[in-house]
Amino acid sequence: MSEEVFRSPKKHGRIMVLLSGRGSNFMAIADAAAAGKIDAEIALVFSNKEDAPGLAAARDRGLPTLALSPKLFADKTEYDKAVVREAEARNIDLICLAGYMKVLTPDFCNAYKNRILNIHPALLPSFPGLHVQQQALDWGVRYSGCTVHFVSAEVDMGAIVLQAAVPVLHDDTADALAERILIEEHKIYPEAVKLFFDGRLEIRGRRVFIL
Ligand code: GRF
């Protein structure tokens, strides 16, 4: 069976950011776009939480925002259908999950296959899920870090684009480690988005090649 190959488009792209919290990764991407380092614009900042600080930060920057409460929908499937409709209505090329605390339905993942990125604060496939800095401390790993990956229907399992390693210190706390990892997140997430719209990401099976 021949392997499926996807090549990211070289174009001026339209990004939709999905967030639920403070939005520091969103801001790193928005800063890079505003500075012309990424050939893309933030076409929508979306949240499942009306009061997410990241949404307020987006409004302060004059970016379009939208919040939809999951409570207004019958179930996850209907909710994600609505989110996909919002993306389609705006001709979104790439969806960036940035601290979005909802698992996407398989239908959502398939609708935007190879066009959803996420950032995770660990070196995947180690420590998927939540409380990952604490997991890293509990396991006594010497290095943790962060991963930008494409999103597939399996949580935290999509093809890896970029990673950055961060040493774990002997007296680390989960918060201290998270803070040091976040510094690297803000570097590799914009870089991954840049590579995407420079047409330099090629997905072959579960591997991403940087062209
Ligand atoms: C980051 O640690 C990211 O890796 C994880 O959620 C956190 C979001 O932080 N997915 P922020 O909202 O971008 O500041």
Side-chain angles (χ1 to χ4, degrees):
M1 211 177 75
S2 69
E3 193 180 45
E4 203 182 313
V5 179
F6 167 84
R7 171 97 171 259
S8 69
K10 180 164 173 46
K11 65 181 295 196
H12 179 80
R14 292 173 60 76
I15 298 172
M16 175 171 168
V17 176
L18 270 56
L19 55 77
S20 306
R22 71 191 154 181
S24 71
N25 278 288
F26 143 64
M27 285 185 265
I29 295 168
D31 286 347
K37 291 180 190 159
I38 297 174
D39 189 10
E41 63 197 272
I42 311 275
L44 182 64
V45 181
F46 175 89
S47 186
N48 58 321
K49 291 191 183 299
E50 182 79 55
D51 58 353
L55 267 192
R59 277 187 225 111
D60 287 348
R61 286 164 180 249
L63 293 170
T65 62
L66 178 67
L68 280 183
S69 168
K71 290 186 194 132
L72 302 174
F73 296 82
D75 55 28
K76 278 168 68 84
T77 307
E78 290 306 313
Y79 183 75
D80 274 9
K81 269 189 200 165
V83 183
V84 167
R85 275 198 300 273
E86 297 295 343
E88 285 172 349
R90 291 169 177 80
N91 294 317
I92 295 300
D93 299 296
L94 180 69
I95 293 176
C96 291
L97 307 185
Y100 186 58
M101 299 306 284
K102 283 178 73 64
V103 175
L104 305 190
T105 56
D107 283 352
F108 189 161
C109 296
N110 290 332
Y112 277 83
K113 189 171 180 211
N114 299 329
R115 293 187 297 154
I116 311 175
L117 290 176
N118 181 41
I119 181 119
H120 182 77
L123 294 175
L124 292 172
S126 290
F127 312 133
L130 297 173
H131 311 298
V132 297
Q133 289 87 5
Q134 190 57 50
Q135 289 186 53
L137 295 181
D138 292 346
W139 276 89
V141 293
R142 301 301 189 231
Y143 289 89
S144 189
C146 46
T147 304
V148 178
H149 63 95
F150 282 99
V151 171
S152 62
E154 301 157 282
V155 179
D156 296 332
M157 292 285 277
I160 291 169
V161 180
L162 292 176
Q163 293 187 303
V166 170
V168 179
L169 308 179
H170 74 275
D171 57 352
D172 251 342
T173 61
D175 284 347
L177 179 57
E179 222 172 277
R180 295 202 315 284
I181 290 175
L182 197 63
I183 294 169
E184 300 305 315
E185 294 184 34
H186 296 163
K187 294 179 194 162
I188 67 169
Y189 209 171
E191 178 61 21
V193 174
K194 174 179 165 48
L195 290 168
F196 186 90
F197 287 117
D198 284 349
R200 293 183 57 196
L201 297 183
E202 187 168 277
I203 309 178
R204 289 178 175 267
R206 68 159 309 111
R207 295 180 66 191
V208 176
F209 292 83
I210 297 173
L211 306 174

